[in-house]
Amino acid sequence: MLRAAGATLLLTAASMPLAVVFGLALAAMRISHRRMLSWPAATYIEVIRGTPLLVQLFVVYYTLPQLGNYLQTDLLPRIGVCLETNPLTWNNWAVGIFCLSANYAAYEAEILRAGLQAIDPGQREAALSLGMSERQAFFIIVLPQAFRVVVPPIINDLIAMLKDSCLVSVIGVPELLFKANGIGKARATVAQMLTVAAALYLTLSLGGYALGRLLEKRLSIRGAPELHVDQPHGH
Amino acid sequence: MEQTPFLNRRETILEVRGLKKSFGPKRVLNGVNLKVGKGEVLVILGPNGCGKSTLLRCLNLLEKYQEGEVALRGEVISRGRPEGSGLSRQDRAVECAMRRHFGMVFQRFNLFPHLRVIDNVMSGPINVLRMPRDEAFEVARKALCKVGLWEKHPCDPLTLSGGQQQRVGIARALAMNPDIMLFDECTSSLDPMMTKEVFMVLRELASEGMTMLVVTHDLDFAREIGDRVVFIENGVVSAEGTPEHIFEAKPTPGVRALIEGSLYETRLSRA
Ligand SMILES: Nc1ncnc2c1ncn2[C@@H]1O[C@H](COP(=O)(O)OP(=O)(O)OP(=O)(O)O)[C@@H](O)[C@H]1O
Ligand SMILES: [Mg+2]
C-alpha cells in the first residue's frame, strides 16, 4: 500500500515539472503577438480545459498505439523506413505521465500567463534600457518575478494532480487507488482499504500544502507590498 | 546666437532630425529636431501628453518611430521605419548595442525587486558587458558611492525610500557607462526632501560633464539644472533657449500657460 502511495507520488513528481515546462512554452506562445504562435496555443488550452481528463486518457491510450501501428505497417515502410516494433506501444506509466502533464500544462499555462502579465512592463523596459536582449530580460528579470507570483496556484494544482492521478488507475497504472481496490477485492476488505487510501491521499496533500508554505516563504521579496501584513492597527 | 549659447561652445553629441512618431492613427511627434552639446543638460518641458516621454523612449528605441533619424557624434544610430516592418535578428542585436549609449532613469524607478541593490547595479555589466563578477562589483561600488548609497548595497530595493530607490536607479544606469543619461520625470513621485537628494546627484553628474536630457514638470528644477530648455508642443519643438530666455525674456503662450499652471498648483498645495 505504501509502495502504491509512492507510485502516486512518483506519477505526480514526474508529471508536474513537465506540465510547468510545457505550460511555460504554451504561455509564451499565447502571449506572443504573432498569430502563428498564439492561436495554436490558445486552441490547445481551450480544448484541453474543455474536455475531461478521463476522456483524454482513453483517447491517448487507445488511439496512439493504432497510430503507431499505422506508422509501422503503412507510412514508414512507404518512405523506406522499417521498424521491428510499434514505435508508439506506450506502456501504461508513460501514457499516464504524458496525459497528466499534457492536461495540467494547459492549466499551468494560464497561471503562468497571468503571472507574467502581472509583472510591471517597466521591468522589461528597464532591462532593455540597460542593453539586455529580450531573452535576457525575460529569463533574468521577468520570469523570476513571475515565478514568485505563480508558486501558490501551482502548488494548489500540484495537490489537485495528486488526487487526479487516481484516474490513471483506469489504464492500469498501479497507483494508490488501483492498489487499494485490488488488495481490497482480494481480501474482501474494500471499504477498509479505500479508507486507508483516502488517509494516504490526505497525508500527501497536507505534505503538499506544507511544501507550498515553505516555498512561498523562501521566495518572498522583502519590502514587496503584498507582504506588509503586520501593519500596526489601533484597537 | 543668444538662444543656444551652449551649443556654440561645445561639440554636438546628439542630434535628432525630423523625428515623427505615431501610435496607430495618432501622430504624437511630428518632426522633432534637436541638438544636444556634449556635457549639456537639456531640460524638456511641455504640457501633459505632448510626447516628452515618447521622445526619450524613441531615443533608446523602447518605442519605434516611423520617420527621421538620431545621430550620436555625427553617426546615425537609429532611423525611423515604416510601421509593421519586421526586425531581423541582426537588427535586434544592433538595437541592444545602441541602447547602451543611453542610460535611462524612470519615473517609477523600475528597480528589479528580486535582486539586491548591488545586484541591480551589477546586472548590466554582468549580463550585457559580460564583465567578470569582481570587476562588475567594483564598477557597481563606484556607481553606488557616486549616488551616496554604498552602505545600502546588500539591501533589497523595495526596503529603501523613494529617493534612495531613484538614486539606485541612477547608479544602475551609470554602471553601464552611458554617453547620455535620460531622465523621465525622475522626481515626480518623490516628496520635496527626496527630490532634493536626487537633484543633488543630478547636479554632481552635470558638474562631471555628463550629457543629460531631463524631462520634468518642476520648473524650479528646470531652472536650476538646465543649461538649455526646449518646449515641446503639438509634436514639435516650439521654443528653445536658456531658462532665463524661456521663462522670463520671451515666454511663448504655451510656456506661460505652464508657468501659470505650476503657480496655481503651488498655491493649491500651500492652501
Ligand atoms: N503605448 C501607447 N499607445 C497609444 N498611445 C500612447 C502610448 N503611449 C503614449 N501615448 C499617447 O501619446 C501621447 C504622448 O504621451 P507621452 O507619455 O509621451 O506624453 P508626456 O509628454 O510624457 O506626458 P506626461 O507629461 O503626462 O508624462 C499621449 O497623448 C498618449 O496618450
Ligand atoms: Mg511622461
Side-chain angles (χ1 to χ4, degrees), chain B residues 23 26 28 46-55 63 184-185 217:
Chain B
F23 289 104
K26 187 175 174 195
V28 176
N48 280 34
C50 70
K52 305 179 294 297
S53 304
T54 305
L55 175 60
E63 298 283 0
D184 189 2
E185 302 197 29
H217 281 292

Side-chain angles (χ1 to χ4, degrees), chain A residues 137-149:
Chain A
F138 182 76
F139 283 104
I140 302 173
I141 303 303
V142 177
L143 188 59
Q145 293 180 57
F147 188 65
R148 185 179 62 95
V149 181

Side-chain angles (χ1 to χ4, degrees), chain A residues 17-18 28 35 40-41 46 56 76 79 101 110-111 119 135 138 149-150 171 174-175 193 197 213 219 222 233:
Chain A
L18 285 174
R35 282 262 180 86
E46 292 315 321
Q56 294 163 15
L76 291 181
I79 56 174
S101 45
E110 286 299 89
I111 291 174
I119 303 306
R135 179 188 299 251
F138 182 76
V149 181
V150 300
I171 56 167
E175 51 70 71
M193 280 302 144
R213 301 290 307 195
L219 287 169
R222 228 174 312 152
H233 286 291

Side-chain angles (χ1 to χ4, degrees), chain A residues 12 32 35 57 73 130 136 143 146 174 208 212 218 222-223:
Chain A
T12 311
S32 165
R35 282 262 180 86
L57 265 170
T73 55
L130 289 172
Q136 287 178 315
L143 188 59
R218 286 289 295 274
R222 228 174 312 152

Side-chain angles (χ1 to χ4, degrees), chain A residues 88-216:
Chain A
L88 295 179
T89 34
W90 299 52
N91 76 38
N92 307 347
W93 273 91
V95 175
I97 290 173
F98 175 82
C99 284
L100 276 175
S101 45
N103 177 273
Y104 270 74
Y107 296 90
E108 301 328 300
E110 286 299 89
I111 291 174
L112 285 161
R113 179 168 73 112
L116 289 171
Q117 287 175 339
I119 303 306
D120 179 357
Q123 291 289 312
R124 169 180 156 269
E125 291 179 354
L128 293 183
S129 78
L130 289 172
M132 290 190 201
S133 63
E134 289 280 358
R135 179 188 299 251
Q136 287 178 315
F138 182 76
F139 283 104
I140 302 173
I141 303 303
V142 177
L143 188 59
Q145 293 180 57
F147 188 65
R148 185 179 62 95
V149 181
V150 300
V151 159
I154 285 185
I155 294 288
N156 272 344
D157 273 5
L158 180 77
I159 293 161
M161 184 192 267
L162 216 52
K163 294 177 287 182
D164 272 357
S165 66
C166 69
L167 285 176
V168 303
S169 61
V170 298
I171 56 167
V173 176
E175 51 70 71
L176 188 49
L177 177 65
F178 185 86
K179 275 283 190 229
N181 217 357
I183 297 173
K185 279 195 180 126
R187 302 194 194 146
T189 50
V190 175
Q192 287 96 315
M193 280 302 144
L194 287 181
T195 312
V196 174
L200 282 171
Y201 275 118
L202 184 61
T203 314
L204 290 179
S205 298
L206 289 176
Y209 280 117
L211 176 73
R213 301 290 307 195
L214 194 75
L215 267 179
E216 241 174 285

